Amino acid sequence: MMRTFAAQAPVVIAGGGMAGLCAAVSALEQGAGVTVIEKSVRAGGSMWLSGGIIWTFRSKSCLVDELPDGNRALQELVVDTLDESLDWLQAQGVELGPEQGFQRYGRGRQASPAQMTHALLERIAS
């Protein structure tokens, strides 16, 4: 039996890395009450270990060349929605640098892991 849940249902996010923090803000935007559970002493997850670049492939064909066995629908989603996703992050207070190349096949924008974590936590706390 399929159940539907109201947008106001409580949401528990397991993990306070970038994906978890973004999921929490998104759920808040939909009117849900949110609890984020993080096993570490600080939020941010592996984002703290990254160079802070949020990237995708330059094109769908480049992505398919690099990952020919990947799920095409997900590949297209990743390439098609980066700009919209970066706009959303900026609306949450995340500061992003100008677009730059990534490796030989990608493009993205630089963010400070500390600033991004702080901005998303502030958004969750407000």
Side-chain angles (χ1 to χ4, degrees):
M1 173 190 343
M2 175 77 77
R3 291 185 182 200
T4 58
F5 297 92
Q8 293 77 21
V11 173
V12 177
I13 307 290
M18 183 176 178
L21 296 177
C22 289
V25 172
S26 182
L28 287 169
E29 288 178 336
Q30 299 301 313
V34 175
T35 300
V36 177
I37 300 171
E38 171 56 45
K39 67 181 178 182
S40 181
V41 296
R42 69 173 180 205
S46 63
M47 175 175 31
W48 284 97
L49 305 174
S50 75
I53 189 164
I54 303 165
W55 72 279
T56 192
F57 287 84
R58 291 188 196 281
S59 67
K60 293 174 193 176
S61 63
C62 185
L63 193 157
V64 171
D65 288 347
E66 293 295 320
L67 302 168
D69 297 327
N71 179 307
R72 293 289 164 90
L74 291 177
Q75 289 175 332
E76 290 183 7
L77 181 69
V78 167
V79 173
D80 290 343
T81 62
L82 179 68
D83 294 329
E84 178 184 332
S85 298
L86 292 173
D87 290 344
W88 181 85
L89 280 172
Q90 285 187 295
Q92 308 314 314
V94 175
E95 299 168 4
L96 299 172
E99 185 169 302
Q100 63 186 53
F102 179 74
Q103 302 289 340
R104 62 177 169 46
Y105 45 72
R107 67 179 183 87
R109 294 178 66 186
Q110 187 75 39
S112 159
Q115 191 278 325
M116 184 166 22
T117 301
H118 177 75
L120 294 172
L121 286 173
E122 285 288 315
R123 183 70 178 85
I124 292 165
S126 63

